[in-house]
Amino acid sequence: MDNQQAKPSDYEMGWLAGFIDGEGCFSFSHWKKRKGGNEYAVRFMLGNTHVPSLDRTTNILDRLGLAYHVRWFDRKSPRVDGSPRKRLWYISIVGYKRMYRWLVIITPLLYTKRRQAEMLLDFVNLRLNNAQSRRVLSSAEAKLVPDLLRMNR
């Protein structure tokens, strides 16, 4: 018998989209490789200190069948008043195939970050369909790069 969890409700997906609009980050980066050429990366990150929000988010991502990574940071420096800082968690989704699956699901639900997600989805879709994607950008991909680089400035 199949033991699948129920898909997230519209209410849960709306909550997640709102949380992402407020706390999430869609990013695009590029760098020059030592042996020549360029490398490009797309990433989604969501960070906070509120553990119940992490639990709720990972539960939703699990039920969507999405791969992600959680990383914890212990912040060493105290607050100005001397009290300790809370542990910080980050969820990240990295890679073209993972980002494609994620962006197709979340983009229509976003409000303030929708344009960023749409631009990344366009780029990711082009990269996945470019047979030479590891070596060279297509002209359509190259046209998107300037706007993608400005996206998080």
Side-chain angles (χ1 to χ4, degrees), residues 51-64:
V51 176
S53 293
L54 169 66
D55 294 340
R56 186 171 190 177
T57 301
T58 57
N59 177 276
I60 292 169
L61 294 176
D62 288 342
R63 288 187 287 143
L64 290 170

Side-chain angles (χ1 to χ4, degrees), residues 25-30 116 119 145-153:
C25 174
F26 293 96
S27 69
F28 174 84
S29 56
H30 91 289
Q116 293 174 345
M119 289 187 327
V145 168
D147 288 336
L148 288 166
L149 289 172
R150 282 191 295 272
M151 182 172 68
N152 292 114
R153 290 187 186 155

Side-chain angles (χ1 to χ4, degrees), residues 15-72:
W15 174 86
L16 181 59
F19 191 39
I20 290 166
D21 270 335
E23 301 291 334
C25 174
F26 293 96
S27 69
F28 174 84
S29 56
H30 91 289
W31 59 95
K32 296 203 181 286
K33 297 190 316 188
R34 272 191 252 182
K35 295 182 181 184
N38 292 303
E39 191 72 33
Y40 302 90
V42 293
R43 171 180 304 201
F44 166 76
M45 291 185 71
L46 179 65
N48 205 293
T49 59
H50 190 244
V51 176
S53 293
L54 169 66
D55 294 340
R56 186 171 190 177
T57 301
T58 57
N59 177 276
I60 292 169
L61 294 176
D62 288 342
R63 288 187 287 143
L64 290 170
L66 293 169
Y68 60 89
H69 179 74
V70 176
R71 186 170 178 191
W72 288 89

Side-chain angles (χ1 to χ4, degrees), residues 13-14 16-18 20-21 26 43-44 61 64 66 93 98-125 151:
M13 292 303 296
L16 181 59
I20 290 166
D21 270 335
F26 293 96
R43 171 180 304 201
F44 166 76
L61 294 176
L64 290 170
L66 293 169
I93 299 175
R98 288 184 190 111
M99 282 293 289
Y100 179 80
R101 287 194 65 222
W102 173 232
L103 289 166
V104 165
I105 293 168
I106 201 65
T107 300
L109 304 174
L110 297 173
Y111 184 77
T112 60
K113 299 226 166 103
R114 180 181 282 186
R115 183 64 191 130
Q116 293 174 345
E118 288 171 341
M119 289 187 327
L120 275 183
L121 181 56
D122 289 345
F123 184 80
V124 167
N125 193 36
M151 182 172 68

